[in-house]
Coordinates of all heavy atoms in Angstrom, one line a residue:
M110 N -6.1 1.8 -18.0 CA -5.4 2.0 -16.7 C -4.1 1.1 -16.7 O -3.1 1.5 -16.2 CB -6.3 1.6 -15.6 CG -5.7 1.9 -14.2 SD -7.0 2.3 -13.1 CE -6.8 1.1 -11.9
N111 N -4.2 -0.1 -17.2 CA -3.1 -1.0 -17.1 C -2.3 -1.0 -18.4 O -1.4 -1.8 -18.6 CB -3.5 -2.4 -16.8 CG -4.0 -2.5 -15.4 OD1 -3.5 -1.8 -14.5 ND2 -5.0 -3.3 -15.2
R112 N -2.5 -0.1 -19.3 CA -1.7 0.0 -20.6 C -0.3 0.4 -20.2 O -0.1 1.2 -19.4 CB -2.3 1.0 -21.5 CG -3.5 0.4 -22.2 CD -3.9 1.3 -23.4 NE -5.3 1.1 -23.6 CZ -6.2 2.1 -23.7 NH1 -5.8 3.3 -23.7 NH2 -7.5 1.8 -23.8
R113 N 0.6 -0.2 -21.0 CA 2.0 0.1 -20.8 C 2.5 1.1 -21.8 O 2.4 0.8 -23.0 CB 2.8 -1.2 -20.9 CG 4.3 -0.9 -20.6 CD 5.0 -2.3 -20.5 NE 4.6 -2.9 -19.3 CZ 5.4 -3.7 -18.6 NH1 6.6 -3.9 -19.0 NH2 4.9 -4.2 -17.5
P114 N 2.9 2.3 -21.4 CA 3.4 3.3 -22.4 C 4.7 2.7 -23.1 O 5.3 1.7 -22.7 CB 3.8 4.5 -21.5 CG 3.0 4.3 -20.3 CD 2.9 2.8 -20.1
R115 N 5.1 3.4 -24.2 CA 6.2 2.9 -25.0 C 7.5 2.8 -24.2 O 8.4 2.1 -24.6 CB 6.3 3.7 -26.2 CG 5.2 3.6 -27.2 CD 5.4 4.4 -28.4 NE 4.3 4.1 -29.3 CZ 4.0 4.8 -30.3 NH1 4.8 5.8 -30.7 NH2 3.0 4.6 -31.1
D116 N 7.7 3.6 -23.1 CA 8.9 3.6 -22.4 C 9.1 2.4 -21.5 O 10.1 2.2 -20.8 CB 9.1 4.9 -21.6 CG 8.1 5.1 -20.5 OD1 7.2 4.2 -20.4 OD2 8.1 6.1 -19.9
G117 N 8.1 1.5 -21.5 CA 8.2 0.3 -20.7 C 7.6 0.4 -19.3 O 7.4 -0.6 -18.6
H118 N 7.3 1.6 -18.8 CA 6.8 1.8 -17.5 C 5.2 1.8 -17.6 O 4.6 1.9 -18.6 CB 7.2 3.2 -17.0 CG 8.7 3.3 -16.8 ND1 9.3 2.8 -15.7 CD2 9.6 3.8 -17.6 CE1 10.6 3.0 -15.8 NE2 10.8 3.6 -16.9
T119 N 4.6 1.7 -16.4 CA 3.2 1.8 -16.4 C 2.8 3.3 -16.5 O 3.7 4.1 -16.3 CB 2.6 1.2 -15.1 OG1 3.1 2.0 -14.0 CG2 3.0 -0.2 -14.9
G120 N 1.6 3.6 -16.7 CA 1.2 5.0 -16.8 C 1.3 5.7 -15.5 O 1.5 6.9 -15.4
W121 N 1.2 5.0 -14.4 CA 1.3 5.6 -13.0 C 2.7 5.5 -12.4 O 2.9 6.0 -11.3 CB 0.3 5.0 -12.1 CG 0.2 3.5 -12.2 CD1 -0.7 2.7 -12.9 CD2 1.1 2.6 -11.5 NE1 -0.4 1.4 -12.7 CE2 0.6 1.3 -11.8 CE3 2.2 2.7 -10.7 CZ2 1.3 0.1 -11.4 CZ3 2.8 1.6 -10.2 CH2 2.4 0.3 -10.6
C122 N 3.7 4.9 -13.1 CA 5.0 4.6 -12.5 C 5.7 6.0 -12.3 O 5.7 6.9 -13.1 CB 5.8 3.8 -13.4 SG 7.5 3.4 -12.7
G123 N 6.4 6.1 -11.1 CA 7.1 7.3 -10.8 C 8.4 7.4 -11.5 O 9.1 8.4 -11.5
K124 N 8.8 6.2 -12.1 CA 10.1 6.1 -12.9 C 11.3 6.5 -12.0 O 11.2 6.2 -10.8 CB 10.0 7.0 -14.2 CG 8.9 6.6 -15.0 CD 8.7 7.4 -16.2 CE 7.5 7.0 -17.0 NZ 7.0 8.0 -18.0
D125 N 12.3 7.1 -12.5 CA 13.6 7.4 -11.8 C 14.0 6.3 -10.8 O 13.8 5.2 -11.0 CB 13.6 8.8 -11.2 CG 12.5 9.1 -10.2 OD1 12.4 8.3 -9.2 OD2 11.8 10.1 -10.2
H126 N 14.4 6.7 -9.6 CA 15.0 5.8 -8.6 C 13.9 4.9 -8.0 O 14.2 3.9 -7.4 CB 15.7 6.6 -7.5 CG 14.8 7.4 -6.7 ND1 14.4 8.6 -7.1 CD2 14.3 7.2 -5.5 CE1 13.6 9.1 -6.2 NE2 13.5 8.3 -5.2
R127 N 12.6 5.3 -8.1 CA 11.6 4.5 -7.5 C 11.4 3.2 -8.2 O 10.9 2.2 -7.7 CB 10.3 5.3 -7.5 CG 10.3 6.4 -6.5 CD 9.0 7.1 -6.6 NE 9.1 8.0 -7.8 CZ 9.2 9.3 -7.7 NH1 9.1 9.9 -6.6 NH2 9.3 10.0 -8.8
C128 N 11.6 3.2 -9.5 CA 11.3 2.0 -10.4 C 12.6 1.2 -10.6 O 13.6 1.7 -11.2 CB 10.8 2.6 -11.7 SG 10.5 1.3 -12.9
G129 N 12.6 0.0 -10.1 CA 13.8 -0.8 -10.3 C 13.6 -2.1 -9.6 O 12.6 -2.4 -9.1
L130 N 14.6 -3.0 -9.7 CA 14.5 -4.3 -9.2 C 13.3 -5.1 -9.7 O 12.7 -5.8 -8.9 CB 14.6 -4.3 -7.7 CG 15.8 -3.6 -7.0 CD1 15.6 -3.5 -5.5 CD2 17.1 -4.3 -7.4
G131 N 12.9 -4.8 -10.9 CA 11.8 -5.5 -11.5 C 10.4 -5.0 -11.1 O 9.4 -5.6 -11.5
E132 N 10.4 -3.9 -10.3 CA 9.1 -3.4 -9.9 C 8.9 -2.0 -10.5 O 9.8 -1.2 -10.7 CB 9.1 -3.2 -8.4 CG 9.0 -4.5 -7.7 CD 8.9 -4.3 -6.2 OE1 9.1 -3.2 -5.7 OE2 8.5 -5.3 -5.5
H133 N 7.6 -1.7 -10.8 CA 7.2 -0.3 -11.1 C 6.6 0.2 -9.8 O 5.8 -0.5 -9.2 CB 6.2 -0.3 -12.2 CG 6.8 -0.7 -13.5 ND1 7.7 0.0 -14.3 CD2 6.7 -1.9 -14.1 CE1 8.0 -0.7 -15.3 NE2 7.5 -1.9 -15.3
R134 N 6.9 1.4 -9.4 CA 6.4 2.0 -8.2 C 5.9 3.5 -8.5 O 6.6 4.2 -9.2 CB 7.5 2.1 -7.1 CG 8.1 0.7 -6.8 CD 9.3 0.8 -5.8 NE 8.8 1.3 -4.5 CZ 8.3 0.6 -3.6 NH1 8.1 -0.7 -3.8 NH2 7.9 1.1 -2.4
S135 N 4.8 3.8 -8.0 CA 4.2 5.1 -8.2 C 4.9 6.1 -7.2 O 5.6 5.7 -6.3 CB 2.7 5.1 -7.8 OG 2.5 5.0 -6.5
E136 N 4.6 7.4 -7.5 CA 5.0 8.4 -6.5 C 4.2 8.2 -5.3 O 3.1 7.6 -5.3 CB 4.7 9.8 -7.1 CG 5.6 10.1 -8.3 CD 5.3 11.5 -8.8 OE1 4.8 12.4 -8.1 OE2 5.7 11.8 -10.0
E137 N 4.7 8.7 -4.1 CA 4.0 8.5 -2.9 C 2.7 9.4 -2.8 O 2.8 10.6 -3.3 CB 4.9 8.9 -1.7 CG 6.0 7.9 -1.5 CD 6.9 8.2 -0.3 OE1 6.9 9.4 0.1 OE2 7.6 7.3 0.1
I138 N 1.6 8.9 -2.3 CA 0.4 9.6 -2.1 C 0.3 9.8 -0.6 O 0.2 8.7 0.1 CB -0.8 8.9 -2.7 CG1 -0.6 8.7 -4.2 CG2 -2.1 9.6 -2.4 CD1 -1.6 7.7 -4.8
V139 N 0.3 11.0 -0.1 CA 0.2 11.2 1.4 C -1.2 11.6 1.8 O -1.8 12.5 1.2 CB 1.2 12.3 1.8 CG1 1.1 12.6 3.3 CG2 2.7 11.9 1.4
V140 N -1.7 10.8 2.8 CA -3.0 11.1 3.3 C -2.8 11.6 4.7 O -2.4 10.8 5.6 CB -3.9 9.9 3.3 CG1 -5.3 10.2 3.8 CG2 -4.0 9.3 1.9
D141 N -3.1 12.9 5.0 CA -2.9 13.4 6.3 C -4.2 13.6 7.0 O -5.2 14.1 6.4 CB -2.3 14.8 6.2 CG -1.3 15.1 7.3 OD1 -1.3 14.4 8.3 OD2 -0.4 16.0 7.1
V142 N -4.3 13.1 8.3 CA -5.6 13.1 9.0 C -5.5 14.0 10.2 O -4.9 13.6 11.2 CB -6.1 11.7 9.4 CG1 -7.4 11.8 10.1 CG2 -6.2 10.8 8.2
A143 N -6.0 15.2 10.0 CA -6.0 16.2 11.1 C -4.7 16.4 11.9 O -4.7 16.7 13.1 CB -7.2 15.8 12.1
G144 N -3.6 16.2 11.2 CA -2.3 16.4 11.9 C -2.0 15.4 12.9 O -1.0 15.5 13.6
R145 N -2.8 14.4 13.1 CA -2.6 13.4 14.1 C -2.1 12.0 13.6 O -1.5 11.2 14.3 CB -3.9 13.1 14.9 CG -4.4 14.3 15.6 CD -3.8 14.6 16.9 NE -3.9 13.5 17.8 CZ -3.1 13.4 18.9 NH1 -2.2 14.2 19.1 NH2 -3.2 12.3 19.6
S146 N -2.4 11.8 12.3 CA -1.9 10.6 11.7 C -1.7 10.8 10.2 O -2.2 11.8 9.6 CB -2.9 9.5 11.9 OG -4.1 9.8 11.2
R147 N -0.9 9.9 9.6 CA -0.6 10.1 8.2 C -0.4 8.7 7.6 O 0.1 7.8 8.3 CB 0.7 10.9 8.1 CG 1.3 10.9 6.7 CD 2.6 11.7 6.7 NE 2.3 13.1 6.9 CZ 3.3 14.0 7.0 NH1 4.5 13.6 6.8 NH2 3.0 15.2 7.2
A148 N -0.8 8.5 6.4 CA -0.6 7.3 5.7 C 0.1 7.7 4.4 O -0.3 8.7 3.7 CB -1.9 6.6 5.4
V149 N 1.1 6.9 4.0 CA 1.8 7.1 2.7 C 1.5 5.9 1.9 O 1.8 4.8 2.3 CB 3.3 7.3 2.9 CG1 4.0 7.6 1.6 CG2 3.5 8.5 3.8
L150 N 0.9 6.1 0.7 CA 0.5 5.0 -0.2 C 1.4 5.0 -1.4 O 1.7 6.0 -2.0 CB -0.9 5.2 -0.7 CG -1.9 5.5 0.4 CD1 -3.3 5.9 -0.3 CD2 -2.1 4.4 1.4
V151 N 1.8 3.8 -1.8 CA 2.6 3.6 -3.0 C 2.0 2.4 -3.8 O 1.8 1.3 -3.2 CB 4.1 3.3 -2.8 CG1 4.8 3.0 -4.0 CG2 4.7 4.5 -2.0
R152 N 1.7 2.6 -5.1 CA 1.2 1.5 -5.9 C 2.4 0.8 -6.5 O 3.4 1.4 -7.0 CB 0.3 2.1 -7.0 CG -0.3 1.0 -7.9 CD -1.2 1.7 -8.9 NE -1.8 0.7 -9.8 CZ -2.7 1.1 -10.7 NH1 -3.1 2.3 -10.8 NH2 -3.1 0.2 -11.5
V153 N 2.4 -0.5 -6.5 CA 3.5 -1.3 -6.9 C 3.1 -2.4 -7.9 O 2.1 -3.1 -7.7 CB 4.3 -2.0 -5.7 CG1 5.4 -2.9 -6.2 CG2 4.7 -1.0 -4.7
R154 N 3.8 -2.6 -9.0 CA 3.6 -3.8 -9.9 C 4.9 -4.6 -9.9 O 5.9 -4.1 -10.3 CB 3.2 -3.4 -11.3 CG 3.0 -4.6 -12.2 CD 2.7 -4.3 -13.6 NE 1.3 -3.7 -13.6 CZ 0.8 -3.2 -14.8 NH1 1.5 -3.2 -15.9 NH2 -0.4 -2.6 -14.7
T155 N 4.8 -5.8 -9.5 CA 6.0 -6.7 -9.4 C 6.3 -7.1 -10.8 O 5.6 -7.0 -11.7 CB 5.7 -7.9 -8.5 OG1 4.7 -8.7 -9.2 CG2 5.2 -7.5 -7.1
A156 N 7.5 -7.8 -10.9 CA 8.0 -8.3 -12.1 C 7.0 -9.4 -12.7 O 6.9 -9.6 -13.9 CB 9.4 -8.9 -12.0
A157 N 6.3 -10.0 -11.7 CA 5.3 -11.1 -12.1 C 4.0 -10.5 -12.6 O 3.1 -11.2 -13.0 CB 5.1 -12.0 -11.0
G158 N 3.9 -9.1 -12.5 CA 2.6 -8.5 -12.9 C 1.6 -8.3 -11.9 O 0.5 -7.7 -12.2
R159 N 1.8 -8.7 -10.7 CA 0.8 -8.6 -9.6 C 1.0 -7.2 -9.1 O 2.1 -6.6 -8.9 CB 1.2 -9.6 -8.5 CG 0.1 -9.7 -7.4 CD -1.0 -10.6 -7.9 NE -1.8 -10.9 -6.7 CZ -3.1 -10.5 -6.5 NH1 -3.6 -9.6 -7.3 NH2 -3.7 -10.8 -5.4
E160 N -0.2 -6.6 -8.8 CA -0.2 -5.2 -8.2 C -0.5 -5.2 -6.8 O -1.3 -6.0 -6.3 CB -1.1 -4.3 -9.0 CG -0.7 -4.1 -10.4 CD -1.3 -2.9 -11.1 OE1 -1.9 -2.1 -10.4 OE2 -1.2 -2.8 -12.3
H161 N 0.2 -4.3 -6.1 CA 0.1 -4.2 -4.6 C -0.1 -2.7 -4.2 O 0.3 -1.8 -5.0 CB 1.3 -4.8 -3.9 CG 1.6 -6.2 -4.2 ND1 1.1 -7.2 -3.4 CD2 2.3 -6.7 -5.2 CE1 1.5 -8.4 -4.0 NE2 2.2 -8.1 -5.1
A162 N -0.6 -2.5 -3.0 CA -0.5 -1.2 -2.4 C 0.4 -1.3 -1.2 O 0.2 -2.2 -0.4 CB -1.9 -0.7 -2.0
E163 N 1.4 -0.5 -1.1 CA 2.2 -0.4 0.1 C 1.7 0.8 0.9 O 1.5 1.9 0.4 CB 3.7 -0.2 -0.2 CG 4.4 -1.4 -0.8 CD 5.9 -1.2 -1.0 OE1 6.4 -0.1 -0.7 OE2 6.5 -2.1 -1.4
V164 N 1.5 0.5 2.2 CA 0.9 1.6 3.0 C 1.8 1.7 4.3 O 2.1 0.8 5.0 CB -0.5 1.2 3.5 CG1 -1.1 2.4 4.4 CG2 -1.4 1.0 2.3
R165 N 2.3 2.9 4.5 CA 3.1 3.2 5.7 C 2.3 4.2 6.5 O 1.8 5.2 6.0 CB 4.4 3.9 5.2 CG 5.4 4.1 6.4 CD 6.8 4.6 5.9 NE 6.7 5.9 5.3 CZ 7.1 6.2 4.1 NH1 7.6 5.3 3.3 NH2 7.0 7.5 3.7
V166 N 2.1 3.8 7.8 CA 1.2 4.6 8.7 C 2.0 5.2 9.8 O 2.9 4.6 10.4 CB 0.1 3.6 9.3 CG1 -0.8 4.4 10.2 CG2 -0.7 3.0 8.2
R167 N 1.7 6.5 10.1 CA 2.3 7.2 11.2 C 1.2 7.8 12.0 O 0.3 8.5 11.5 CB 3.2 8.3 10.6 CG 3.8 9.2 11.6 CD 4.7 10.2 10.8 NE 5.1 11.3 11.7 CZ 6.2 12.0 11.4 NH1 6.8 11.8 10.3 NH2 6.5 13.0 12.2
V168 N 1.2 7.5 13.3 CA 0.2 8.0 14.2 C 0.8 8.7 15.4 O 1.9 8.3 15.8 CB -0.7 6.9 14.7 CG1 -1.5 6.2 13.6 CG2 0.0 5.8 15.5
A169 N 0.2 9.7 16.0 CA 0.6 10.3 17.2 C 0.4 9.4 18.3 O -0.7 8.9 18.5 CB -0.1 11.6 17.4
L170 N 1.5 9.2 19.1 CA 1.3 8.3 20.3 C 0.8 9.0 21.5 O 1.1 10.2 21.7 CB 2.7 7.7 20.6 CG 3.2 6.6 19.6 CD1 4.6 6.2 20.0 CD2 2.3 5.4 19.5
A171 N 0.2 8.3 22.4 CA -0.2 8.8 23.7 C 1.0 9.2 24.5 O 2.1 8.7 24.3 CB -1.0 7.8 24.5
P172 N 0.9 10.2 25.4 CA 2.1 10.7 26.1 C 2.8 9.7 27.0 O 4.0 9.8 27.2 CB 1.6 12.0 26.8 CG 0.1 11.9 26.7 CD -0.3 11.0 25.7
S173 N 2.1 8.9 27.7 CA 2.7 7.9 28.6 C 3.0 6.6 27.9 O 2.3 6.2 27.0 CB 1.8 7.7 29.8 OG 0.8 6.8 29.5
D174 N 4.1 5.9 28.4 CA 4.4 4.7 27.8 C 3.3 3.6 27.9 O 3.1 2.9 26.9 CB 5.7 4.1 28.5 CG 7.0 4.8 28.0 OD1 6.9 5.6 27.1 OD2 8.0 4.5 28.6
L175 N 2.7 3.6 29.0 CA 1.6 2.5 29.1 C 0.5 2.8 28.2 O 0.0 1.9 27.5 CB 1.1 2.5 30.6 CG 0.0 1.5 30.9 CD1 0.5 0.1 30.6 CD2 -0.5 1.6 32.3
A176 N 0.1 4.0 28.1 CA -1.0 4.4 27.1 C -0.6 4.1 25.7 O -1.4 3.7 24.9 CB -1.5 5.8 27.4
A177 N 0.7 4.5 25.4 CA 1.2 4.3 24.0 C 1.2 2.8 23.7 O 0.9 2.4 22.6 CB 2.6 4.9 23.9
R178 N 1.6 2.0 24.7 CA 1.6 0.5 24.4 C 0.3 0.0 24.2 O 0.0 -0.8 23.3 CB 2.3 -0.2 25.6 CG 3.8 0.0 25.6 CD 4.4 -0.7 26.8 NE 5.8 -0.2 26.9 CZ 6.7 -0.9 27.5 NH1 6.5 -2.1 28.0 NH2 7.9 -0.5 27.6
R179 N -0.7 0.4 25.0 CA -2.1 0.0 24.8 C -2.6 0.4 23.4 O -3.3 -0.3 22.7 CB -3.0 0.5 25.9 CG -2.8 -0.2 27.2 CD -3.7 0.4 28.2 NE -3.5 -0.4 29.5 CZ -3.7 0.2 30.7 NH1 -4.0 1.4 30.8 NH2 -3.5 -0.5 31.7
Q180 N -2.2 1.7 23.1 CA -2.6 2.2 21.8 C -2.0 1.4 20.6 O -2.7 1.0 19.7 CB -2.1 3.6 21.7 CG -2.4 4.4 20.4 CD -1.7 5.8 20.4 OE1 -0.9 6.1 21.3 NE2 -2.1 6.6 19.5
L181 N -0.7 1.0 20.8 CA -0.1 0.1 19.7 C -0.7 -1.2 19.6 O -0.9 -1.8 18.5 CB 1.4 0.0 20.0 CG 2.2 1.3 19.7 CD1 3.6 1.1 20.2 CD2 2.1 1.6 18.3
V182 N -1.1 -1.8 20.8 CA -1.8 -3.1 20.7 C -3.1 -3.0 19.9 O -3.3 -3.8 19.0 CB -2.1 -3.6 22.1 CG1 -3.0 -4.8 22.1 CG2 -0.8 -4.0 22.9
G183 N -3.8 -2.0 20.1 CA -5.0 -1.7 19.4 C -4.8 -1.5 17.9 O -5.4 -2.1 17.0
L184 N -3.7 -0.7 17.6 CA -3.4 -0.4 16.3 C -3.0 -1.6 15.5 O -3.4 -1.9 14.4 CB -2.3 0.7 16.2 CG -1.7 1.0 14.9 CD1 -2.7 1.6 14.0 CD2 -0.4 1.9 15.0
L185 N -2.1 -2.4 16.1 CA -1.6 -3.6 15.4 C -2.8 -4.6 15.2 O -2.8 -5.3 14.2 CB -0.5 -4.3 16.2 CG 0.8 -3.4 16.2 CD1 1.9 -4.0 17.1 CD2 1.3 -3.2 14.8
G186 N -3.7 -4.7 16.2 CA -4.8 -5.6 16.0 C -5.7 -5.1 14.8 O -6.1 -5.9 14.0
D187 N -5.9 -3.8 14.8 CA -6.7 -3.3 13.7 C -6.0 -3.5 12.3 O -6.6 -3.8 11.3 CB -6.9 -1.8 13.9 CG -7.9 -1.5 15.1 OD1 -8.5 -2.4 15.5 OD2 -8.0 -0.3 15.5
L188 N -4.7 -3.3 12.3 CA -3.9 -3.5 11.1 C -4.0 -4.9 10.6 O -4.2 -5.2 9.4 CB -2.5 -3.1 11.2 CG -2.2 -1.6 11.2 CD1 -0.7 -1.3 11.6 CD2 -2.5 -1.0 9.8
R189 N -3.9 -5.8 11.6 CA -4.0 -7.3 11.2 C -5.3 -7.6 10.5 O -5.4 -8.2 9.5 CB -3.8 -8.1 12.5 CG -3.9 -9.6 12.2 CD -3.7 -10.3 13.5 NE -3.8 -11.8 13.2 CZ -3.6 -12.7 14.1 NH1 -3.3 -12.4 15.3 NH2 -3.7 -14.0 13.7
E190 N -6.4 -7.0 11.1 CA -7.7 -7.3 10.6 C -7.9 -6.6 9.2 O -8.4 -7.2 8.3 CB -8.8 -6.6 11.6 CG -10.2 -7.0 11.3 CD -11.1 -6.5 12.4 OE1 -10.8 -6.7 13.6 OE2 -12.1 -5.8 12.0
T191 N -7.3 -5.4 9.1 CA -7.4 -4.7 7.8 C -6.6 -5.4 6.7 O -7.1 -5.6 5.6 CB -6.8 -3.3 8.0 OG1 -7.6 -2.6 8.9 CG2 -6.8 -2.5 6.6
V192 N -5.4 -5.9 7.0 CA -4.6 -6.6 6.0 C -5.3 -7.9 5.7 O -5.3 -8.3 4.5 CB -3.2 -6.8 6.6 CG1 -2.4 -7.8 5.7 CG2 -2.4 -5.5 6.7
T193 N -5.8 -8.6 6.6 CA -6.5 -9.9 6.3 C -7.7 -9.6 5.4 O -7.9 -10.4 4.4 CB -7.0 -10.5 7.7 OG1 -5.9 -10.8 8.5 CG2 -7.8 -11.8 7.4
R194 N -8.5 -8.6 5.7 CA -9.7 -8.3 4.9 C -9.2 -7.9 3.4 O -9.8 -8.4 2.5 CB -10.4 -7.1 5.5 CG -11.9 -7.4 5.6 CD -12.7 -6.2 6.2 NE -12.1 -5.0 6.3 CZ -11.7 -4.5 7.5 NH1 -12.0 -5.1 8.6 NH2 -11.2 -3.3 7.6
A195 N -8.1 -7.1 3.3 CA -7.7 -6.7 2.0 C -7.1 -7.9 1.3 O -7.3 -8.0 0.0 CB -6.6 -5.6 2.2
T196 N -6.4 -8.8 2.0 CA -5.9 -10.0 1.3 C -7.0 -10.9 0.7 O -6.9 -11.4 -0.4 CB -5.0 -10.8 2.3 OG1 -4.0 -9.9 2.8 CG2 -4.4 -12.0 1.7
I197 N -8.0 -11.1 1.5 CA -9.1 -11.9 1.0 C -9.8 -11.2 -0.2 O -10.1 -11.9 -1.2 CB -10.2 -12.1 2.2 CG1 -9.6 -13.0 3.2 CG2 -11.5 -12.7 1.6 CD1 -10.3 -13.1 4.5
A198 N -10.0 -9.9 -0.1 CA -10.6 -9.2 -1.2 C -9.7 -9.2 -2.5 O -10.2 -9.1 -3.6 CB -10.9 -7.7 -0.8
G199 N -8.4 -9.3 -2.3 CA -7.5 -9.2 -3.4 C -7.1 -10.6 -4.1 O -6.4 -10.6 -5.0
R200 N -7.7 -11.6 -3.5 CA -7.4 -13.0 -4.1 C -7.9 -13.1 -5.4 O -9.1 -12.7 -5.7 CB -8.0 -14.1 -3.2 CG -7.2 -14.4 -2.0 CD -7.7 -15.6 -1.3 NE -9.1 -15.6 -1.2 CZ -9.8 -16.2 -0.2 NH1 -9.2 -16.8 0.7 NH2 -11.1 -16.1 -0.1
P201 N -7.2 -13.8 -6.3 CA -7.8 -14.0 -7.7 C -9.0 -14.9 -7.5 O -9.0 -15.9 -6.7 CB -6.7 -14.7 -8.4 CG -5.4 -14.5 -7.6 CD -5.9 -14.3 -6.2
R202 N -10.0 -14.7 -8.3 CA -11.3 -15.5 -8.2 C -11.2 -16.4 -9.4 O -10.8 -16.1 -10.5 CB -12.5 -14.6 -8.3 CG -12.5 -13.5 -7.2 CD -13.9 -13.2 -6.8 NE -14.1 -12.0 -6.0 CZ -13.6 -11.9 -4.7 NH1 -13.0 -12.9 -4.2 NH2 -13.8 -10.9 -4.0
P203 N -11.8 -17.6 -9.2 CA -11.9 -18.6 -10.3 C -12.8 -18.0 -11.3 O -13.8 -17.4 -11.0 CB -12.4 -19.8 -9.6 CG -12.9 -19.5 -8.3 CD -12.3 -18.1 -7.9
R204 N -12.5 -18.3 -12.6 CA -13.3 -17.8 -13.7 C -14.5 -18.7 -13.8 O -14.5 -19.9 -13.6 CB -12.5 -17.9 -15.0 CG -11.4 -16.9 -15.0 CD -10.8 -16.8 -16.3 NE -9.7 -15.8 -16.3 CZ -9.2 -15.3 -17.4 NH1 -9.5 -15.8 -18.5 NH2 -8.3 -14.4 -17.3
R205 N -15.6 -18.1 -14.2 CA -16.9 -18.8 -14.4 C -16.9 -19.4 -15.8 O -16.4 -18.7 -16.7 CB -18.1 -17.9 -14.2 CG -18.3 -17.5 -12.8 CD -19.5 -16.7 -12.7 NE -19.8 -16.5 -11.3 CZ -20.9 -15.9 -10.8 NH1 -21.8 -15.5 -11.7 NH2 -21.1 -15.7 -9.6
A206 N -17.5 -20.5 -16.0 CA -17.6 -21.1 -17.3 C -18.7 -20.3 -18.1 O -19.7 -19.9 -17.5 CB -18.0 -22.6 -17.2
A207 N -18.4 -20.1 -19.3 CA -19.4 -19.3 -20.1 C -20.6 -20.1 -20.6 O -20.6 -21.3 -20.6 CB -18.7 -18.7 -21.3
Ligands
ZN179 ZN1 8.5 1.9 -14.0

């Protein structure tokens, strides 16, 4: 999975304009949920070799401003919790002595 093809890109890199500035970037993966929300995922490997997932989220807002604001407060709180959980899970773990 992490082998580097001879062209210098990763096997999953989208190449062309997506790959640059020291990063390899995959093609976008679109996840559509019942026409009400959408997430766009991109896999990224930085110049330092660390891999990341970039996630762009689009949700249908409630029709009134007040309801939409409440909805956003909930969404941002949920995102904070999700990002925190993912960050903890993605931390490098110390190696065990053999
Ligand atoms: Zn690349």
Side-chain angles (χ1 to χ4, degrees):
M110 186 152 122
N111 291 326
R112 282 191 207 134
R113 182 173 288 214
R115 291 183 180 168
D116 64 2
H118 297 277
T119 64
W121 47 260
C122 182
K124 303 176 185 166
D125 62 50
H126 67 281
R127 287 176 284 251
C128 176
L130 303 175
E132 290 184 344
H133 296 283
R134 302 175 65 82
S135 71
E136 293 184 19
E137 293 182 339
I138 301 166
V139 178
V140 180
D141 216 342
V142 181
R145 301 280 301 160
S146 63
R147 173 183 291 180
V149 180
L150 314 172
V151 175
R152 183 175 176 175
V153 179
R154 180 182 292 172
T155 67
R159 188 83 164 108
E160 294 200 13
H161 302 267
E163 284 185 3
V164 182
R165 188 171 67 236
V166 178
R167 175 177 169 160
V168 297
L170 289 174
S173 78
D174 281 352
L175 182 59
R178 286 179 191 205
R179 287 182 178 147
Q180 183 185 7
L181 287 173
V182 168
L184 173 66
L185 293 175
D187 290 347
L188 282 174
R189 180 179 180 178
E190 191 174 310
T191 299
V192 169
T193 299
R194 227 180 13 251
T196 300
I197 291 168
R200 281 191 310 212
R202 303 211 190 296
R204 292 185 177 195
R205 290 183 173 187

